[in-house]
Amino acid sequence: MMQRRTLLRAGAAFGGLATTGLPAFAQATGNVTLWSGFPVGGGLGDQVARPLIEQMRGKYPQPFIYDAKPGASGRIAAEFVKRAAPDGNTLYGCPSTVMTLHPHVFKKLPYDTLADFVPIAGLCSYTAVFTAGPGLPAEIRTVADYLKWARANPAQANYGVPATGSSLHLAGAMLGKQSGVDMQAVPYKGGAPLLTDLRGGQIPVSFNVVSEVLPHIRAGTLRALAVCAPTRWKALPETPTLTELGYKDVAFVDWLAWYGPAGIPAARVNAINAAVNEALDSNAMQEVFAKIGLESLRVTPEGLGTMVRENHAFWGRVVKTTGFKPED
């Protein structure tokens, strides 16, 4: 049985941080716990956080623990971290949408994502892929082909998404609105069951996180019709963006990042950020990103904060435009 907790010791080496002028770390004690809001065991957060923490050995004076409080699309863990002491020992690792999209798709949140959390470090960015499986006729190879087929077969113009109100759900809603095609979202309970049905032909197309479908696209069992990033994605250089196909409003990139409860001293925030950025530069992390189609996100806490605010405003406009009704 997979352990629910993974203890990855960062080592006792303090020398690398001593040169940064942060003497407060001489009194740093205890573990730093990184909380995930999703089940432990192979998800995108696990795929990045575990090797990253391993690469942080010797670059931060405290041990790191990776643990999870899954449920409510990450909201349980977010509320827990919000209420934690702002000492830098309790962090939250999550997709950007928890901070930027959730405020617009849930009626009530027990926290303010812009006020109750401090951005600490970016990890990586990723895009969504408009993906076709064997349930779509093999001759359909482009978005234009799909939209033509969907107009002729309205009862089959369904697209799978891993969750209602996700960025992937709204990507399809935006494409449908811009193209004038009535595309109906079919929500699943996560990316794994969606991928099973896509590969089995039960759903013709879907919007997926790139890491989930990249191996199958490379193997030729699924085909990428377009990506949602504003520019072509390194892992799929031959795949056009929806923007270049004329659907300008379907342009976004999500990311993984670490946050903490508001009030963490700036010195602690900057030290964690520096350790993360150094680890991101390692060959091991570059190999992880290349394998699963992610892009390293090396950013300052201030830069991450700007990204959060801008993305928060973007999703607010999208939700209003698509007419999505916030959930309870």
Side-chain angles (χ1 to χ4, degrees):
M1 174 184 261
M2 181 173 293
Q3 298 267 343
R4 289 195 69 250
R5 285 181 100 182
T6 299
L7 178 62
L8 297 171
R9 302 224 170 247
F14 181 70
L17 286 173
T19 60
T20 64
L22 301 177
F25 279 91
Q27 287 80 40
T29 60
N31 301 318
V32 177
T33 304
L34 174 68
W35 292 96
S36 168
F38 301 90
V40 170
L44 184 59
D46 283 30
Q47 290 176 297
V48 174
R50 291 180 187 278
L52 179 66
I53 290 174
E54 183 68 27
Q55 291 302 309
M56 290 175 67
R57 289 175 181 266
K59 301 178 178 68
Y60 197 76
Q62 294 170 266
F64 272 76
I65 291 175
Y66 182 70
D67 209 339
K69 288 185 177 293
S73 299
R75 287 172 284 163
I76 292 174
E79 182 176 10
F80 173 80
V81 171
K82 172 214 167 178
R83 298 180 183 280
D87 56 8
N89 286 355
T90 305
L91 308 181
Y92 181 38
C94 66
S96 55
T97 50
V98 173
M99 295 291 169
T100 65
L101 176 56
H102 280 189
H104 306 293
V105 297
F106 292 107
K107 289 182 179 178
K108 295 180 180 179
L109 290 177
Y111 45 79
D112 182 333
T113 60
L114 298 182
D116 291 334
F117 299 91
V118 57
I120 293 178
L123 309 186
C124 62
S125 56
Y126 56 94
T127 192
V129 185
F130 186 32
T131 314
L136 191 70
E139 65 270 17
I140 297 176
R141 313 297 298 184
T142 68
V143 173
D145 290 343
Y146 167 77
L147 294 174
K148 181 179 179 181
W149 175 85
R151 290 187 180 96
N153 301 273
Q156 300 178 60
N158 302 319
Y159 68 100
V161 294
T164 300
S166 62
S167 60
L168 306 177
H169 180 179
L170 293 174
M174 289 189 287
L175 176 59
K177 189 173 185 66
Q178 275 205 286
S179 66
V181 174
D182 187 16
M183 297 171 58
Q184 296 298 314
V186 179
Y188 284 76
K189 293 183 178 180
L194 168 58
L195 185 58
T196 297
D197 274 10
L198 180 65
R199 295 182 65 199
Q202 284 77 34
I203 192 84
V205 295
S206 62
F207 281 86
N208 309 83
V209 172
V210 61
S211 59
E212 292 181 335
V213 292
L214 187 60
H216 308 287
I217 292 170
R218 286 172 171 169
T221 55
L222 296 176
R223 53 197 190 273
L225 302 182
V227 298
C228 294
T231 59
R232 293 208 178 193
W233 201 250
K234 183 188 295 185
L236 294 167
E238 303 303 317
T239 303
T241 69
L242 285 166
T243 296
E244 69 185 84
L245 297 177
Y247 305 101
K248 296 184 295 182
D249 292 341
V250 197
F252 63 91
V253 170
D254 293 327
W255 66 83
L256 296 177
W258 290 0
Y259 307 84
I264 297 177
R268 185 66 57 90
V269 170
N270 290 333
I272 298 173
N273 179 273
V276 169
N277 284 342
E278 185 176 350
L280 290 176
D281 286 341
S282 67
N283 290 334
M285 288 310 301
Q286 294 306 311
E287 290 174 4
V288 168
F289 295 149
K291 181 178 179 180
I292 56 180
L294 309 180
E295 299 287 341
S296 179
L297 181 60
R298 205 176 190 283
V299 65
T300 64
E302 294 77 15
L304 179 59
T306 297
M307 291 170 61
V308 169
R309 291 189 296 273
E310 291 179 348
N311 208 242
H312 186 283
F314 167 78
W315 286 120
R317 294 192 298 270
V318 168
V319 169
K320 183 176 181 180
T321 299
T322 59
F324 180 85
K325 301 302 181 184
E327 298 182 343
D328 292 332

